[in-house]
């Protein structure tokens, strides 16, 4: 997740042949008539924290072409503090985003994250009973939201980083609460992919603690996509905990730029090849976006893919080739102009 308001998180989801999602309805798969694909078409969405995304003419082009799902990361207890002057921002922002998505006929995937209650929230434990109370509060406020992920990058930051068993038990608890909702979808978490082997071991601990099959996993696989390799994605998908599950790429895409320290400490292919000009950065972003489509066509487990993001923070005075904030993977540049990756998504993915 890369929120619009700065938070403690580090660096922070084949041509579509299925029918688009409509409103809050579920995905309708295209009939297999002539030359049917080997597996169901991938549903494509946008991952973006800004409510104004849904009114942007560029996004409306994407939506009309079939991008009618979107992902949002919310503090799991944001609604508890909606009347708290110091903490109401999170609830207000979430409401604005959800209402804008609904007005645009976009189906939301809501990923929960740390508490809104204090600045040391990354280390604050989340008891299952507390999470369940807030989950019920959220469902009562937004009963039309049907897609949920328990936690954003639980293996990277937050209280589940060293406690995958707690995440597994939480999955079992929330699964029971959603049992009567036939069109609800629950992800065990959006795994931050760093090592296919290590992350698969984490997922296995989650599944064993859950004591039940995990139907859908989320995956944020920026490194594979931007390095144009399938190594870690493949290892994760083939692992014992995941191989029988569906996987949604909940956040990924071609990255134009990151903060200087991130590009130095954990370089993508673009940085290793010394890409610094606007044309070079945009070319690597475009190639990574193409490779994301390649991955979704290669692995039948991949059911959805959310591209982050439509645009980083708007900046009319942005100079091409320079960084804009700490993260920029926008299909539009900070001035609002379309990048090559936008045209590829519109014309070759959707």
């Amino acid at each position: 997740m890369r929120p619009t308001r700065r938070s403690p998180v580090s660096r922070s989801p084949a041509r579509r042949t299925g029918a688009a999602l409509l409103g809050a309805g579920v995905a309708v798969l295209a009939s297999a008539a002539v030359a049917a694909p080997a597996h169901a078409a991938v549903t494509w969405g946008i991952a973006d924290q800004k409510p104004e995304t849904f009114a942007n003419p560029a996004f409306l082009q994407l939506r009309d072409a079939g991008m009618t799902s979107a992902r949002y990361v919310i503090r799991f207890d944001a609604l508890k503090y909606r009347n708290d002057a110091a903490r109401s921002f999170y609830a207000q922002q979430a409401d604005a985003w959800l209402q804008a998505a609904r007005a645009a006929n976009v189906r939301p995937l809501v990923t929960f994250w740390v508490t809104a209650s204090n600045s040391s929230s990354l280390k604050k434990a989340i008891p299952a009973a507390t999470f369940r109370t807030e989950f019920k509060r959220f469902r009562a406020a937004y009963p039309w939201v049907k897609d949920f992920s328990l936690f954003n990058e639980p293996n990277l930051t937050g209280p589940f980083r060293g406690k995958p068993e707690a995440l597994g038990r939480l999955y079992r608890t929330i699964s029971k609460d959603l049992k009567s909702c036939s069109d609800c979808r629950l992800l065990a978490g959006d795994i931050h992919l760093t090592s296919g082997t290590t992350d698969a071991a984490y997922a296995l601990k989650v599944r064993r603690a859950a004591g039940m099959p995990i139907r859908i996993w989320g995956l944020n696989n920026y490194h594979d996509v931007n390095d144009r390799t399938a190594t870690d994605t493949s290892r994760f998908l083939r692992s014992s905990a995941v191989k029988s599950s569906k996987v949604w790429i909940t956040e990924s895409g071609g990255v134009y730029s990151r903060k200087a320290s991130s590009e130095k400490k954990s370089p993508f292919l673009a940085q290793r090849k010394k890409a610094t000009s606007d044309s070079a950065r945009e070319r690597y972003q475009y190639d990574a976006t193409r490779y994301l489509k390649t991955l979704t066509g290669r692995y039948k487990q991949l059911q959805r893919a959310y591209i982050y993001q439509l645009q980083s923070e708007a900046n009319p005075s942005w100079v091409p080739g320079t960084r804009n904030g700490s993260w920029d993977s926008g299909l539009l540049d900070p001035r609002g102009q379309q990048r090559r990756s936008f045209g590829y998504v519109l014309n070759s993915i959707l």
Side-chain angles (χ1 to χ4, degrees), residues 207 217 236-247 301:
R207 194 200 69 184
W217 291 93
F236 183 77
L237 294 176
R238 295 197 316 262
S239 67
S240 61
V242 181
K243 64 182 180 180
S244 298
S245 306
K246 296 299 184 182
V247 175
Q301 286 169 266

Side-chain angles (χ1 to χ4, degrees), residues 91-349:
Q92 292 169 359
Q93 190 75 357
D95 184 71
W97 190 97
L98 287 163
Q99 298 299 348
R102 192 181 194 191
N105 288 327
V106 172
R107 180 181 177 115
L109 163 63
V110 172
T111 295
F112 297 101
W113 198 42
V114 294
T115 178
S117 64
N118 60 64
S119 59
S120 61
S121 58
L122 280 175
K123 299 179 181 179
K124 191 174 179 63
I126 306 175
T130 301
F131 188 101
R132 186 181 183 219
T133 296
E134 296 308 319
F135 183 70
K136 288 183 175 181
R137 191 196 307 271
F138 181 91
R139 292 204 69 209
Y142 304 103
W144 42 272
V145 176
K146 304 293 186 180
D147 298 338
F148 308 98
S149 181
L150 287 180
F151 205 82
N152 178 61
E153 300 183 338
N155 60 319
L156 180 68
T157 55
F160 300 111
R161 180 180 181 182
K163 298 180 179 179
E165 296 83 2
L167 184 62
R169 292 190 293 270
L170 180 61
Y171 179 84
R172 182 173 65 241
T173 297
I174 302 303
S175 292
K176 290 179 180 177
D177 286 341
L178 290 176
K179 192 172 183 179
S180 62
C181 182
S182 61
D183 59 341
C184 286
R185 303 291 180 266
L186 178 66
L187 284 63
D190 301 345
I191 300 297
H192 173 75
L193 187 64
T194 53
S195 161
T197 302
T198 301
D199 301 332
Y202 181 93
L204 181 58
K205 292 178 181 178
V206 175
R207 194 200 69 184
R208 285 174 173 171
M212 61 187 296
I214 291 178
R215 298 178 185 277
I216 311 172
W217 291 93
L219 187 65
N220 298 352
N221 64 341
Y222 284 105
H223 280 276
D224 264 5
V225 168
N226 285 274
D227 287 345
R228 303 203 292 278
T229 175
T231 302
D232 288 312
T233 298
S234 179
R235 285 174 181 166
F236 183 77
L237 294 176
R238 295 197 316 262
S239 67
S240 61
V242 181
K243 64 182 180 180
S244 298
S245 306
K246 296 299 184 182
V247 175
W248 296 2
I249 298 179
T250 40
E251 187 183 318
S252 195
V255 179
Y256 180 92
S257 69
R258 298 174 287 160
K259 59 184 179 181
S261 60
S262 296
E263 292 190 351
K264 182 178 181 180
K265 181 179 179 182
S266 181
F268 293 151
L269 180 62
Q271 285 80 56
R272 297 198 296 274
K273 295 294 186 179
K274 311 299 182 183
T276 56
S277 68
D278 178 61
S279 60
R281 286 185 180 275
E282 193 164 337
R283 183 177 68 252
Y284 276 99
Q285 181 193 25
Y286 171 77
D287 288 342
T289 305
R290 293 177 62 198
Y291 192 71
L292 176 57
K293 179 188 175 183
T294 297
L295 287 179
T296 62
R298 182 179 299 173
Y299 300 107
K300 65 181 181 180
Q301 286 169 266
L302 297 176
Q303 192 177 48
R304 294 193 193 181
Y306 293 84
I307 297 172
Y308 189 88
Q309 65 206 130
L310 182 68
Q311 184 183 23
S312 64
E313 289 76 12
N315 182 359
S317 61
W318 175 75
V319 177
T322 63
R323 296 182 178 87
N324 189 59
S326 62
W327 185 279
D328 182 359
S329 56
L331 299 177
L332 309 179
D333 73 24
R335 300 167 301 181
Q337 295 183 16
Q338 297 176 7
R339 286 174 168 153
R340 288 180 67 193
S341 53
F342 176 88
Y344 182 78
V345 172
L346 180 65
N347 299 312
S348 300
I349 288 183

